[in-house]
Amino acid sequence: MLTPNPKMLPRLDELEEDLLARRERAFAEDWRGEIDGIDLTLSFLRSKRQQVARFERHGPVSLGLPTVPPQGKQVKGS
């Protein structure tokens, strides 16, 4: 899963402003399908903003390095 870069928050703000203006127009024109699509996109955008906020509070999570368990001796000729 990709996490947006915190430096992109101003761009997310611009996108939200544009979507809200498009939603107003769609509402005025009674484009119900367009309103539904914009609402869905707005929910995804706000979710990304929340991900950035969580990431900024907690920082990256260290998963450590995987290790390979030692293998037993192999017997030749068996």
Side-chain angles (χ1 to χ4, degrees), residues 30-41:
D30 198 30
W31 297 336
R32 293 182 183 161
E34 186 73 12
I35 293 170
D36 291 341
I38 291 171
D39 286 344
L40 184 62
T41 304

Side-chain angles (χ1 to χ4, degrees), residues 36-76:
D36 291 341
I38 291 171
D39 286 344
L40 184 62
T41 304
L42 281 167
S43 69
F44 290 139
L45 183 139
R46 291 171 179 154
S47 172
K48 288 293 181 188
R49 185 178 288 130
Q50 290 172 350
Q51 286 178 7
V52 170
R54 278 194 307 270
F55 181 76
E56 286 181 327
R57 279 195 308 267
H58 301 293
V61 175
S62 174
L63 299 176
L65 295 173
T67 59
V68 178
Q71 296 182 1
K73 293 183 179 180
Q74 294 181 351
V75 179
K76 290 186 179 182

Side-chain angles (χ1 to χ4, degrees), residues 11-36:
R11 179 65 179 136
L12 291 178
D13 293 338
E14 290 175 23
L15 291 170
E16 185 175 24
E17 287 177 27
D18 181 59
L19 285 167
L20 290 172
R22 288 175 50 195
R23 189 182 188 289
E24 286 179 25
R25 168 111 192 265
F27 187 77
E29 300 288 338
D30 198 30
W31 297 336
R32 293 182 183 161
E34 186 73 12
I35 293 170
D36 291 341

